Structures are given as structure tokens and as C-alpha cells.
């Protein structure tokens, strides 16, 4: 299990549709950044799913 190294709030934009949580499909409130081998992976999470955010690769 890899925990995010940084989290960033999702910016609200009226010109784009909102992103959705990768776990439960609710509207995302946070971008979580994970370090992979030579890459940074961005995933979106809602407030409810963020505490258990992990990335398995």
C-alpha cells in the first residue's frame, strides 16, 4: 500500500464537469498524488474516502 505524498483540494470550475471519486463515484473534493516508479499518479477522492486512500501497483 502506498499512501499519497501530497493532497490538493479540487478547484471548483463552472466550465468543466466535476471529477468523481475513484472509490465511490461521488463528486471528488481532493486530488491525491502518489509516487510511482518514475511517475506521479493523480487520483481523485471525496472527503469520505480520502482517509483510506491508497494506490497499489
Amino acid at each position: 500500500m502506498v499512501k499519497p505524498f501530497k493532497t490538493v483540494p479540487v478547484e471548483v470550475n463552472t466550465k468543466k464537469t466535476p471529477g468523481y471519486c475513484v472509490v465511490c463515484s461521488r463528486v471528488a473534493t481532493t486530488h491525491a498524488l502518489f509516487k510511482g516508479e518514475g511517475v506521479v499518479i493523480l487520483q481523485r477522492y471525496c472527503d469520505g474516502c480520502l482517509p483510506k486512500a491508497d494506490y497499489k501497483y
Side-chain angles (χ1 to χ4, degrees):
M1 174 190 310
V2 177
K3 292 290 184 182
F5 72 90
K6 183 176 181 182
T7 58
V8 181
V10 171
E11 293 181 20
V12 177
N13 188 340
T14 57
K15 296 181 182 183
K16 286 184 167 182
T17 57
Y20 296 99
C21 178
V22 297
V23 177
C24 69
S25 300
R26 287 186 274 184
V27 174
T29 57
T30 304
H31 293 291
L33 302 170
F34 299 89
K35 286 186 180 179
E37 294 187 30
V39 297
V40 173
I41 299 150
L42 181 139
Q43 289 189 326
R44 295 180 181 108
Y45 291 93
C46 67
D47 288 334
C49 295
L50 183 61
K52 54 189 169 205
D54 67 341
Y55 182 75
K56 298 174 185 169
Y57 61 93

